[in-house]
Structure formats: structure tokens, C-alpha cells
Amino acid sequence: MFKSILVTGGAGFIGSHVVRRMVTQYPGSTIVNLDALTYAGNLENLRDIDQSPNYRFEKGNILDAAFLAQLFDQYQFDAVIHLAAESHVDRSISDPLAFVQTNVLGTVTLLNTARNAWQNDLDGKRFYHVSTDEVYGSLGEEGLFTENTPYDPRSPYSASKASSDHFVRAYWHTYHLPVVLSNCSNNYGPYHFPEKLIPLMISNIRQMKPLPVYGDGKYTRDWLWVEDHARAIDTILHQGRTGETYNIGGNNEWKNIDLVEKLCDIMDELLERAPGTSRSLITFVKDRPGHDLRYAIDASKLRDEMGWEPSIQFEEGFRKTALWYLENTEWLDHVTSGAYQTYYSKQYD
Ligand code: NAD
Ligand code: TYD
């Protein structure tokens, strides 16, 4: 049981689900959310729990070593769950350096701070680094990523996450910093920023805008309900073996075009539109450079050691997601105003 837990990136998509889970599951622990509130961070994601007595928000940047040291001193953290990152592949293609800064330098700055703060007593401490399956590269039609798959990152995003993973392991081997890592497949669910495939499609279907499918749409991803990821993180934080890596996946592979078509059908039903209305919006557009063909995860290590399994499959999760966006149009309208429009025109026009 950790008494004081630092969650970085807790105002983002996955981070907000992790914060919510930790705040509600562990009322006797203090949960500190450190977030720089970039375009991807939104405190509205946490409105339902932000008055909880065991929750604190600290606005700050993981690149700011002095600020981090002061925070560790103030809260005496015994655990860190590190999620803060630049997370979108398309943005990494147009601005790779931002990804090196936050994902690589930011992670090393945080590792240094934890090492300094904990150097006299590593007992009962844990540094949890949250990473992605994209570090393993791209699969062909067959096979799954295991924890032993060699790293082969192919986008600036995955290269920066791979680099951060290597640094985390280096701090374990060199300084005995008690780390644990996980590499997860694509998440979906509430509070997902509409630059990523699923919320972007939902947002566009709602507005009857074109649905931009990259290339031939045959690219495959393994989708996991975001609350299942948060539960896996909680499980690994408490039960994972120090120095180990755990793969997390949904066992739920979809080709992009099949997923978008399924989404169109569910949205037509929910919006009471004639069948086929949303499918007519599908538009094949220029492919993403270096687009990875397929990601798929073997999560058997996590299942065998800790009994974790995904709780819901895509059709149920997707319906819940679509309903959430339709019931939270204010959230969606808010995050798609302003800077989002500039990003959207640059990326898609
Ligand atoms: P996100 O982009 O929604 O959120 C990132 C959060 O980090 C935002 O709140 C942002 O404000 C904050 N942040 C960014 N730079 C910061 C900085 N320099 N200092 C402090 N805070 C900063 O990302 P997400 O999709 O929630 O992903 C969270 C983590 O999970 C990332 O590390 C990502 O690599 C990993 N991951 C994501 C997925 C996925 O499907 N989204 C899958 C596997 C792993
Ligand atoms: P994304 O949500 O960006 O996640 P990642 O690239 O990290 O897997 O994209 C998921 C898949 O959807 C990926 O194959 C790229 C594709 N895609 C589109 O076809 N159109 C889009 O507008 C976006 C954002 C993604």
C-alpha cells in the first residue's frame, strides 16, 4: 500500500482514468496529479473527483527539475506513476523534438529526481513507467508482441518512448531504482482527445464531416477499454515484480476500416439516422508516412502472474464510448474549439 502517489500526466486521457481509480480505490493515500496542461491536458476530465480530500493537483512540467525536487520534498512520494508524454504519432512526424524533450528528457529528469529523493531509502518505493506497444515496431499478418520482442521503433513518437523505456531500465540496473514498466496497446473510451482515430471519427460523424481513413484502411490495432488499462496499472503497481515489464492488451484486433464502419453503424443507430448515412462520409486520404501495419499484444504474462484480463470487448466498449461522447457534447465542443481547428486544418486539409 503506497501512502503518497505522484501521477504525472493525470489530466490527459489515460492519466485521468488512473487518477480517478487511485483516488477512489485508496482513500487513505494522497494522490498528486502533476500536469503541464498542454493541449492534451484538461482538468474537466477530473471534475467528478477533484473535490476528494485525498486528491491534489499541481501544475508543472516534468522538465523542471527544481519544481520536481520541491514536490518530492513536500509530498514524500513513495510511488510514481509516470504517464506524462507527447502521445500522438502524427504530431511526432511534424515536430519530433517536442517528443524528445518531454518523453526522453522529461522522463530522465523525473528519474533523476526520484533517485535523489529516494537514495537513502529505496525500501517500499516504486517508479512505474507507462509505455506503449509501438516500441516493438510493426507486425506482419501473424504473431504477437511479447515482453521479449526486440525494440524496433519506427515513428518519432515510438522512438522517444523506446528511449525513455531504456532509460528507466538503465536506472534499475545502474542505480537499483525500483522500477516497473508496462507496454500497452491502443486505448479507447471517455475523455479521449479527438485527434486520435476513434474520438475523431465520433466527432466528425456527429458533425457529418468527412471521415479521413489513412491509406487503404487495412492497418490493424489491438484496442483496449481505457478503464481496463487503469486497472492493469493499479494491479502492476501493487503486484508487479521490480525491474520487470508487462505487456497489456485487449486481445481485440480491428482493421481501421472495419472499425470505422462498425462505428458508423452504431452512431447511425444512436443518432437515429438512416442506415448507411455515416458510412457515406468515409474518405480515403493520404497515408501516414512510415505507417506501422499491425500491433497486437500477448498479455499472458500479466494474466498468469496477476490474473488480469480485459473486462469488456470492443462492441460493448465502443457503444459505451459513443454514448459517452453524445452525452458529453459540451466537453467535445470545448476541446475542439480554438487550437484544435488549426491542428485539424494543418493535418487534413
Ligand atoms: P495524452 O496526450 O492524452 O495525455 C498526456 C498528458 O501529459 C496531458 O495531460 C499533458 O498535459 C501532459 N503532459 C505533456 N507534456 C508534459 C510535460 N512536459 N510535463 C507535464 N505534463 C505533461 O496521453 P495518453 O493517451 O493519456 O497517454 C498517457 C501515457 O500512456 C503516455 O505515456 C503514452 O505514451 C502511454 N500510452 C498511451 C496509449 C494510448 O492508446 N493512448 C497506449 C499505450 C501507452
Ligand atoms: P491513432 O489513434 O493515431 O493511434 P496510433 O497511431 O498510435 O495507433 O491511429 C490509429 C490508427 O488509425 C492508425 O493506423 C492510424 C489510423 N488513423 C486514420 O486512418 N485516420 C486518422 O484520422 C487517424 C487520426 C488515424
Side-chain angles (χ1 to χ4, degrees), residues 88 134 186 195-197 212-214 221 256 288 291 348:
H88 189 37
E134 303 190 26
N186 289 60
E195 65 185 352
K196 307 278 170 65
L197 179 72
V213 174
Y214 295 162
R221 298 293 184 262
N256 292 340
R288 171 187 283 174
H291 200 162
Y348 294 100

